[in-house]
């Protein structure tokens, strides 16, 4: 059983690292476009708090090395993600996110660590931190629910990255199995919920991935229509009826006398109409 838990823990480390690294592609796009677009920073803030607390939980346990390694690396990655998000987020979202990071990732985490180390002893420490980790991990897995609602409303998976959902599904399954072997319910309950939510996200992705392409195509066509409408309204292109009117007049006045042609081209059409009618034509 010990060797099985070690194998599951190592597999869980690999999958969790892939899950934590999956937003790298998203943040490359953010840096490239210099905009966070419609991406939400809340999942990364809550995940940072969760990984920090799980690292602390692993340090409190005698056999928690595998928990420490994966969550410590995940916390480091999410610090980078949040920094990038804060750099490129709109001003109002940036201010809210900074306040949230200060309250959640600095204030709340600091209070938990101080109370645990200074006021609690023995198993009570593990129980308190374990319960907090359970709740936060459930929150981390539930954070993409807003993205799931958006997928259903927009019929598009643009803002629900596939690999994040896929690795959440795998991560929840493997760590649930690990928790059953080592009998750690603080790890098992939230990861079991994560496994279920990951399954739902993958189902939504399969349902809407083709419709997403149709929506993007329609948006592209609509943009082209808007662009052509602006071109049609431009003052640099005269109306076709005006072009035909003046082209016909010019053709008919090729035999006019020079002074009559000059007046005609200056716009004095009404005063020269008689001269035009009487002038010889070829």
């Amino acid at each position: 059983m010990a060797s099985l838990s070690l194998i599951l823990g190592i597999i869980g480390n690999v999958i969790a690292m892939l899950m934590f690294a999956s937003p790298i592609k998203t943040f490359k796009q953010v840096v490239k476009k210099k905009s966070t677009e419609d991406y939400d920073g809340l999942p990364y803030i809550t995940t940072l708090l969760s990984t920090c607390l799980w690292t602390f939980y692993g340090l409190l346990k005698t056999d928690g090395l595998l928990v420490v390694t994966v969550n410590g690396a995940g916390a480091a990655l999410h610090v980078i993600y949040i920094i990038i998000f804060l750099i490129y987020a709109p001003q109002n979202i940036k201010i809210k996110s900074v306040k949230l990071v200060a309250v959640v990732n600095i204030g709340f985490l600091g209070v938990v660590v101080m109370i645990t180390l200074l006021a609690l002893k023995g198993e009570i420490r593990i129980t308190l931190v374990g319960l907090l980790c359970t709740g936060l991990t459930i929150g981390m897995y539930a954070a993409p629910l807003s993205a799931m609602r958006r997928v259903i409303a927009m019929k598009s998976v643009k803002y629900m990255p596939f690999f994040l959902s896929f690795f959440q599904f795998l991560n929840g399954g493997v760590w649930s199995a690990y928790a059953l072997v080592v009998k750690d319910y603080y790890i098992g309950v939230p990861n079991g919920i994560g496994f279920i939510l990951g399954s739902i996200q993958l189902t939504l992705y399969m349902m809407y991935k083709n419709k997403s392409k149709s929506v993007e195509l329609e948006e592209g066509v609509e943009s082209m229509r808007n662009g052509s409408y602006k071109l049609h309204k431009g003052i640099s292109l005269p109306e076709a009826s005006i072009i035909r009117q003046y082209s016909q007049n010019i053709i008919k006045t090729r035999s006019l006398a020079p002074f009559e042609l000059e007046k005609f081209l200056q716009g004095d059409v009404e005063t020269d109409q008689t001269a035009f009618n009487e002038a010889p034509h070829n």
Side-chain angles (χ1 to χ4, degrees):
M1 294 297 289
S3 60
L4 179 59
S5 65
L6 178 62
I7 293 171
L8 289 173
I10 293 173
I11 295 173
N13 267 252
V14 173
I15 294 174
M17 282 304 303
L18 291 173
M19 184 183 72
F20 290 143
S22 61
I24 290 177
K25 182 179 179 180
T26 297
F27 281 95
K28 281 184 177 179
Q29 294 178 354
V30 169
V31 173
K32 183 178 179 179
K33 295 181 179 180
K34 300 186 186 305
S35 171
T36 56
E37 296 182 300
D38 287 341
Y39 291 109
D40 189 3
L42 181 60
Y44 306 103
I45 294 173
T46 56
T47 302
L48 175 59
L49 177 61
S50 176
T51 50
C52 288
L53 278 175
W54 276 114
T55 302
F56 185 47
Y57 176 82
L59 292 171
L60 292 175
K61 293 193 67 174
T62 54
D63 57 347
L65 178 61
L66 293 172
V67 177
V68 172
T69 54
V70 66
N71 284 285
L77 281 174
H78 278 77
V79 168
I80 297 172
Y81 298 154
I82 291 172
I83 290 173
I84 295 174
F85 184 87
L86 293 177
I87 291 173
Y88 294 107
Q91 189 64 25
N92 59 330
I93 297 178
K94 183 181 300 186
I95 293 172
K96 292 179 182 179
S97 299
V98 168
K99 291 179 180 178
L100 190 60
V101 169
V103 172
V104 172
N105 299 122
I106 298 176
F108 180 76
L109 179 63
V111 169
V112 170
V113 172
M114 288 179 62
I115 290 175
T116 302
L117 294 179
L118 299 178
L120 302 177
K121 295 182 180 180
E123 290 296 322
I124 299 179
R125 289 179 173 179
I126 297 176
T127 300
L128 174 64
V129 178
L131 288 173
L132 288 174
C133 289
T134 299
L136 285 169
T137 303
I138 293 174
M140 179 190 76
Y141 283 130
L145 287 174
S146 59
M148 293 164 64
R149 287 195 297 267
R150 185 177 299 174
V151 167
I152 297 171
M154 297 176 60
K155 294 182 173 57
S156 172
V157 295
K158 180 178 180 181
Y159 296 108
M160 189 178 72
F162 169 77
F163 286 108
L164 183 60
S165 302
F166 178 68
F167 288 122
Q168 176 176 314
F169 166 79
L170 291 181
N171 185 69
V174 171
W175 283 105
S176 296
Y178 172 85
L180 288 175
V181 173
V182 300
K183 295 181 173 57
D184 191 326
Y185 300 108
Y186 301 124
I187 296 176
V189 172
N191 282 286
I193 294 173
F195 175 75
I196 295 171
L197 291 176
S199 302
I200 296 173
Q201 289 179 48
L202 290 178
T203 302
L204 287 176
Y205 192 91
M206 297 304 295
M207 289 173 59
Y208 291 110
K209 69 173 184 176
N210 292 328
K211 293 183 180 181
S212 177
K213 296 179 181 178
S214 300
V215 170
E216 291 178 3
L217 180 59
E218 290 176 2
E219 290 176 351
V221 171
E222 186 64 26
S223 298
M224 291 177 65
R225 287 175 180 171
N226 292 336
S228 62
Y229 174 77
K230 292 177 182 178
L231 179 61
H232 177 71
K233 297 296 286 187
I235 60 173
S236 61
L237 297 179
E239 295 182 4
S241 59
I242 297 176
I243 295 175
R244 287 195 297 269
Q245 174 186 342
Y246 280 96
S247 64
Q248 291 172 359
N249 288 339
I250 291 172
I251 292 171
K252 289 181 179 181
T253 58
R254 285 182 297 172
S255 299
L256 291 176
F259 74 93
E260 292 171 336
L261 180 59
E262 182 179 358
K263 289 181 179 181
F264 182 79
L265 293 177
Q266 289 174 351
D268 195 5
V269 179
E270 294 182 359
T271 58
D272 289 325
Q273 187 66 42
T274 304
F276 172 76
N277 293 331
E278 295 175 355
H281 299 280
N282 291 336

